[in-house]
Amino acid sequence: MSSTPRTLISPATLARRRGKTAYWTVFTAVVVLFALAFLFPVYWMATSALKSPDEVTRTPPTLFPDDWHLSGYSDAWDQMDLPTHLVNTLVQAVGAWVFQLVLCTAAAYALSKLKPALGKVILAGILATLMVPAQALVVPKYLTVADLPFIHTNLLNDPLAIWLPAVANAFNLYLLKRFFDQIPRDVLEAADIDGAGKLRVLWSIVLPMSRPVLGVVSIFALVAVWQDFLWPLMVFSDTDKQPISVALVQLSQNLPLTVLIAAMVIASIPMVALFLVFQRHIIAGISAGSTKG
């Protein structure tokens, strides 16, 4: 005997014209309000860069610019040397993404499918690091990159100071492991019968099946580096090597507010574009990781 799921509004009420009109009116109003709550700050930031410095600080504020000043974006691009800092950020983010994707995927595959000795203990230790505040690890990380153990190399002002700490991401590793756990063992056993080795199985079977979760992990890795401020501020004392998040603060003195806002808009464009391009893969990866395959 099948039971119809109970909802806030009964199907009988929705079948009536008045009930259907009320439902869609409330639904549309809620969607519009949520859209405004998320999009209005973006609109406000983008249009504030088009205003004059006096208009930005005017009370009450203006919803639309009285005069459109495109010079704010061009001044931000030139005066703050944004191309250099955007390239620095891109190099740091892509490097951290590659290191993290390779090593976290290998570790997650080993813990999920190779079943090493003390694998559960190792996984528990990795997950325990999620309980430690990130701020508590800043000093140990800094001392490590300032004098790398065994080889005694200074990694300050070097992209490796961003890439290597990014590898140790317990959340992404666990996300990958949980997805690998859902891959049917029959598929892997069939590959073993055909003579495929462990690396061949990982490359030819596991990774193609894991594209959704790899997309999610990639987004997390790139965004984490792109928006990080404290760690790059500590390891990059050379202004020419600083990422955009640090440069916006370091170079903002004695600049008009409109120029700073324009620089913030330019700095946010790559991440917004990344999400818009890969949003389908992000949603697919989240839904794939939340269901038992």
Side-chain angles (χ1 to χ4, degrees):
M1 181 176 180
S2 61
S3 59
T4 303
R6 300 182 62 181
T7 58
L8 187 62
I9 303 176
S10 65
T13 303
L14 284 176
R16 303 190 189 99
R17 183 175 181 180
R18 180 179 298 178
K20 186 178 296 185
T21 302
Y23 170 80
W24 284 108
T25 300
V26 173
F27 178 79
T28 303
V30 170
V31 170
V32 170
L33 287 175
F34 270 92
L36 289 175
F38 284 98
L39 296 179
F40 184 76
V42 178
Y43 164 80
W44 188 261
M45 184 173 64
T47 55
S48 294
L50 299 172
K51 300 177 182 178
S52 64
D54 294 334
E55 188 179 357
V56 171
T57 57
R58 183 186 302 174
T59 304
T62 55
L63 188 60
F64 302 100
D66 293 338
D67 297 311
W68 298 75
H69 299 274
L70 296 176
S71 59
Y73 287 98
S74 60
D75 292 343
W77 187 262
D78 297 329
Q79 296 180 21
M80 302 189 72
D81 196 15
L82 291 186
T84 298
H85 298 294
L86 285 172
V87 170
N88 293 341
T89 311
L90 182 63
V91 170
Q92 296 167 21
V94 172
W97 166 67
V98 172
F99 272 83
Q100 189 175 137
L101 205 62
V102 171
L103 295 178
C104 284
T105 300
Y109 176 69
L111 292 172
S112 175
K113 298 303 180 185
L114 303 185
K115 304 296 183 182
L118 301 177
K120 292 184 179 180
V121 176
I122 295 173
L123 180 61
I126 293 173
L127 295 180
T129 61
L130 294 174
M131 309 301 173
V132 181
Q135 294 80 1
L137 301 175
V138 170
V139 174
K141 284 198 304 182
Y142 182 83
L143 295 176
T144 301
V145 299
D147 185 14
L148 203 62
F150 304 112
I151 59 176
H152 301 289
T153 301
N154 189 337
L155 297 181
L156 298 179
N157 292 311
D158 191 306
L160 284 171
I162 301 294
W163 298 346
L164 296 183
V167 172
N169 191 304
F171 177 78
N172 285 345
L173 189 151
Y174 182 70
L175 194 65
L176 287 165
K177 180 189 178 299
R178 289 294 300 167
F179 189 91
F180 293 162
D181 289 342
Q182 298 173 13
I183 296 178
R185 182 163 294 275
D186 296 343
V187 177
L188 306 183
E189 291 176 351
D192 288 335
I193 294 174
D194 292 338
K198 300 299 182 183
L199 289 178
R200 181 62 183 272
V201 171
L202 173 63
W203 181 260
S204 301
I205 298 177
V206 175
L207 291 183
M209 296 178 66
S210 305
R211 288 178 182 174
V213 72
L214 291 176
V216 174
V217 170
S218 299
I219 294 296
F220 287 166
L222 291 171
V223 171
V225 176
W226 198 276
Q227 68 180 8
D228 194 12
F229 171 75
L230 179 59
W231 181 243
L233 177 64
M234 295 181 64
V235 299
F236 287 106
S237 57
D238 188 350
T239 305
D240 293 334
K241 296 182 179 180
Q242 290 176 345
I244 190 69
S245 59
V246 177
L248 288 177
V249 178
Q250 299 287 75
L251 304 177
S252 61
Q253 290 82 3
N254 302 321
L255 286 178
L257 182 59
T258 53
V259 174
L260 179 59
I261 295 175
M264 295 169 59
V265 174
I266 295 173
S268 63
I269 288 176
M271 288 297 100
V272 173
L274 187 69
F275 174 77
L276 293 178
V277 171
F278 294 103
Q279 59 176 329
R280 181 165 59 92
H281 301 281
I282 297 172
I283 296 172
I286 294 174
S287 61
S290 62
T291 58
K292 184 71 175 177

